[in-house]
C-alpha cells in the first residue's frame, strides 16, 4: 500500500523543517526555486561577511540527512487544481511538472529586497548574488541604510563592525526602530550603534514610488517625504519592509486582501481539507510569526493528526518578536527574550555546541559537512 503524499511548496527555512518532520511518515515532495536552503535570515551577516553567512544559511538539499527520503524538484510554481489535488510548475529548461498530493503545505514565503527573491537560480547564481552585494558595499565610502526593522538595524551594525572607517547612517520613520520588539532591545542596540559611530536619523520616511521595492542597492540621493533635506551616500541599502507574498500561483479565493494565505488557528486553509500554510506567507497574525515560532512543528503534527482523524492543535502567536537580531559576532551570539532582556552565548559555545549540536543535529537532524563556496 502506497503512503500518503505531502507536497511542500517552498523549501525555505520553515519549508525544510516541515519536510524533515514529515519525511519519516509520508511520501514527501518538496518544490523550490533554489537547489538549496537559501535562508532569508541574518541580512547583516550576509552582506558584511558572506562566507560566514553561507556556512550556516546556504545549505544544498543533499547535505540534509533527513531530506534523503524527500524528492526535491527545482521549479517555479505556476498553479494548483484544488479539486483534482494537483500542483503545477515549470523547471529551468521550460518543461512542466504536475504533482498530485494528499496534503499540500504552502510555505513559499515572501519577496523582500534583493536577498529574498523567488527566482530560479543555480548555485553559481546564488554565489554571484551573494558577493555582488558585498562588493558593492565594500567599495562604497559611505552607506545609508533605510528602514526601521530588524534587517535594517542588523545591516547597520554588521556593516559598521566590518568596515569601521566607513560613514554609516541609519534612517528610520518612527521615533525608534524595532517597534515589533520590546523597547529594551532598541535601548541596547541603539547604544551599540552609537559606539560604532553610526548616524541615527529618526523621523525619516523615504520618498519612493508605489512600485519601488528596494530590490537592489542603489546610489545617489535619498529624498524624504517627511520634509528633511535629501541625503547622499555612495550606497543605499533599502530595508523598508515592502514584502510581497509569493502567492501569484494560487487562486484568489485562498488569499486575504494583501495576498497572504488565509489560515485558521490550526494553520489550515479555510474550507480546504489537506491544505495548510505556514511561515511568512501565512496570514496568522500581524507579524506572520509562524515562520519563527515552531510553526513547522505544529503544521507537521496537524497533518498527521488530520490523516489520523485526531484533534488538531492551534497556533498561538507571541506578542513581540524575539531571538537573535544581529547574528553571530566575534564576541558570541546575543539572544533577546520577549521581555527585551538579553543573554549572550560566548563564541566557544556557539561554534562548539549551538551550531553543531543544537542547530545541525537538534533542528535539522544531521547536516553533512561541505562548503557551497568551494
Amino acid at each position: 500500500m502506497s503512503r500518503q503524499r505531502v507536497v511542500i511548496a517552498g523549501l525555505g527555512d520553515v519549508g525544510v523543517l516541515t519536510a524533515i518532520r514529515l519525511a519519516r511518515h509520508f511520501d514527501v515532495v518538496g518544490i523550490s526555486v533554489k537547489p538549496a536552503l537559501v535562508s532569508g535570515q541574518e541580512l547583516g551577516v550576509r552582506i558584511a561577511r558572506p562566507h560566514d553567512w553561507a556556512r550556516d544559511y546556504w545549505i544544498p538539499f543533499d547535505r540534509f540527512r533527513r531530506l534523503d527520503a524527500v524528492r526535491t524538484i527545482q521549479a517555479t510554481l505556476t498553479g494548483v487544481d484544488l479539486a483534482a489535488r494537483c500542483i503545477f510548475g515549470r523547471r529551468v529548461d521550460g518543461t512542466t511538472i504536475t504533482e498530485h498530493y494528499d496534503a499540500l503545505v504552502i510555505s513559499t514565503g515572501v519577496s523582500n529586497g534583493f536577498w529574498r527573491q523567488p527566482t530560479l537560480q543555480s548555485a553559481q547564481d546564488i554565489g554571484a548574488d551573494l558577493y555582488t552585494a558585498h562588493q558593492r558595499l565594500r567599495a562604497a565610502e559611505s552607506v545609508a541604510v533605510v528602514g526601521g526593522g530588524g534587517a535594517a538595524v542588523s545591516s547597520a551594525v554588521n556593516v559598521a563592525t566590518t568596515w569601521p572607517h566607513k560613514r554609516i547612517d541609519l534612517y528610520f520613520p518612527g521615533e525608534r526602530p524595532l517597534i515589533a520588539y520590546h523597547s529594551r532591545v532598541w535601548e541596547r542596540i541603539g547604544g551599540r550603534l552609537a559606539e560604532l559611530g553610526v548616524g541615527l536619523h529618526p523621523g525619516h520616511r523615504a520618498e519612493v514610488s508605489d512600485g519601488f521595492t528596494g530590490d537592489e542597492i542603489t546610489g545617489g540621493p535619498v529624498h524624504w517625504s517627511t520634509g528633511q533635506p535629501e541625503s547622499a551616500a555612495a550606497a543605499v541599502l533599502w530595508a523598508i519592509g515592502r514584502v510581497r507574498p509569493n502567492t501569484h500561483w494560487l487562486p484568489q479565493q485562498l488569499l486575504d486582501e494583501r495576498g497572504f494565505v488565509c489560515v485558521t488557528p490550526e494553520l489550515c486553509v479555510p474550507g480546504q481539507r489537506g491544505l495548510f500554510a505556514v511561515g511568512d506567507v501565512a496570514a496568522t497574525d500581524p507579524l506572520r510569526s509562524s515562520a519563527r515560532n515552531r510553526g513547522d512543528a505544529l503544521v507537521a503534527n496537524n497533518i498527521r493528526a488530520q490523516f489520523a482523524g485526531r484533534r488538531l492543535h492551534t497556533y498561538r502567536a507571541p506578542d513581540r518578536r524575539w531571538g537573535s537580531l544581529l547574528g553571530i559576532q566575534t564576541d558570541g551570539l546575543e539572544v533577546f527574550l520577549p521581555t527585551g532582556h538579553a543573554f549572550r552565548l560566548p563564541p566557544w559555545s556557539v561554534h562548539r555546541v549551538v551550531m553543531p549540536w543544537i542547530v545541525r543535529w537538534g533542528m535539522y537532524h544531521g547536516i553533512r559537512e561541505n562548503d557551497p563556496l568551494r
Side-chain angles (χ1 to χ4, degrees):
M1 181 177 177
S2 61
R3 295 200 300 178
Q4 290 161 310
R5 176 174 295 181
V6 179
V7 173
I8 313 291
L11 291 176
D13 294 295
V14 70
V16 165
L17 288 169
T18 303
I20 285 172
R21 291 182 179 277
L22 293 171
R24 287 190 171 183
H25 308 282
F26 307 104
D27 175 20
V28 178
V29 178
I31 304 175
S32 171
V33 291
K34 317 293 184 189
L37 168 61
V38 182
S39 177
Q41 299 181 61
E42 308 295 5
L43 174 62
V45 176
R46 172 178 172 142
I47 58 177
R49 305 193 311 278
H51 197 95
D52 290 348
W53 180 88
R55 177 193 61 218
D56 299 323
Y57 296 103
W58 171 15
I59 307 173
F61 295 136
D62 61 7
R63 289 181 55 199
F64 292 92
R65 296 180 186 274
R66 280 286 185 90
L67 291 186
D68 288 348
V70 175
R71 180 161 58 91
T72 59
I73 302 171
Q74 187 176 4
T76 297
L77 294 168
T78 57
V80 62
D81 186 328
L82 299 175
R85 305 178 81 79
C86 293
I87 189 171
F88 310 106
R90 184 178 295 107
R91 299 181 188 268
V92 177
D93 61 6
T95 58
T96 59
I97 64 166
T98 300
E99 290 292 329
H100 296 268
Y101 63 83
D102 296 296
L104 173 62
V105 180
I106 302 167
S107 56
T108 44
V110 296
S111 299
N112 185 18
F114 61 84
W115 61 96
R116 299 177 78 180
Q117 291 295 316
T119 51
L120 282 167
Q121 288 186 307
S122 66
Q124 292 75 18
D125 296 331
I126 296 166
D129 275 1
L130 185 62
Y131 277 96
T132 295
H134 171 74
Q135 294 295 351
R136 176 69 190 275
L137 294 173
R138 181 181 180 180
E141 294 181 357
S142 58
V143 178
V145 181
V146 183
V153 171
S154 173
S155 296
V157 169
N158 279 279
V159 169
T161 302
T162 301
W163 297 296
H165 301 299
K166 293 184 186 295
R167 179 172 64 83
I168 313 295
D169 291 280
L170 174 63
Y171 299 89
F172 45 95
E175 294 182 4
R176 69 170 179 93
L178 304 179
I179 58 174
Y181 294 80
H182 195 284
S183 59
R184 292 191 185 97
V185 178
W186 172 241
E187 290 173 7
R188 187 176 182 89
I189 294 183
R192 183 163 186 173
L193 284 165
E195 292 174 0
L196 290 167
V198 175
L200 302 177
H201 306 275
H204 282 65
R205 185 176 295 278
E207 186 177 281
V208 295
S209 63
D210 290 340
F212 181 77
T213 56
D215 289 349
E216 62 179 339
I217 297 173
T218 64
V222 181
H223 300 274
W224 308 106
S225 64
T226 39
Q228 297 89 349
E230 66 181 35
S231 302
V236 181
L237 174 62
W238 299 89
I240 53 179
R242 289 199 169 185
V243 300
R244 292 95 63 202
N246 297 322
T247 54
H248 60 279
W249 56 283
L250 289 169
Q252 189 63 40
Q253 70 195 68
L254 305 183
L255 310 178
D256 68 8
E257 66 280 359
R258 297 183 59 203
F260 294 92
V261 181
C262 298
V263 290
T264 68
E266 295 78 20
L267 301 184
C268 302
V269 177
Q272 302 290 334
R273 180 175 174 80
L275 192 56
F276 299 80
V278 65
D280 285 320
V281 76
T284 51
D285 60 285
L287 299 178
R288 299 185 306 281
S289 59
S290 68
R292 291 162 292 276
N293 294 278
R294 298 181 61 80
D296 58 285
L298 180 70
V299 79
N301 288 336
N302 280 352
I303 288 172
R304 294 178 62 190
Q306 190 172 89
F307 282 145
R310 300 194 306 268
R311 182 178 65 87
L312 276 61
H313 295 283
T314 59
Y315 175 72
R316 293 177 175 82
D319 295 329
R320 295 189 178 98
R321 287 192 174 175
W322 62 283
S324 167
L325 189 60
L326 305 180
I328 300 172
Q329 303 292 307
T330 56
D331 58 355
L333 179 67
E334 189 171 47
V335 180
F336 290 95
L337 301 174
T339 60
H341 297 96
F343 63 91
R344 183 180 301 280
L345 299 168
W348 68 266
S349 69
V350 175
H351 297 296
R352 297 181 188 177
V353 179
V354 175
M355 296 308 297
W357 294 106
I358 296 177
V359 175
R360 297 190 177 199
W361 279 106
M363 287 178 57
Y364 292 120
H365 299 276
I367 296 177
R368 301 177 181 93
E369 293 302 319
N370 195 10
D371 186 341
L373 296 181
R374 293 177 181 172

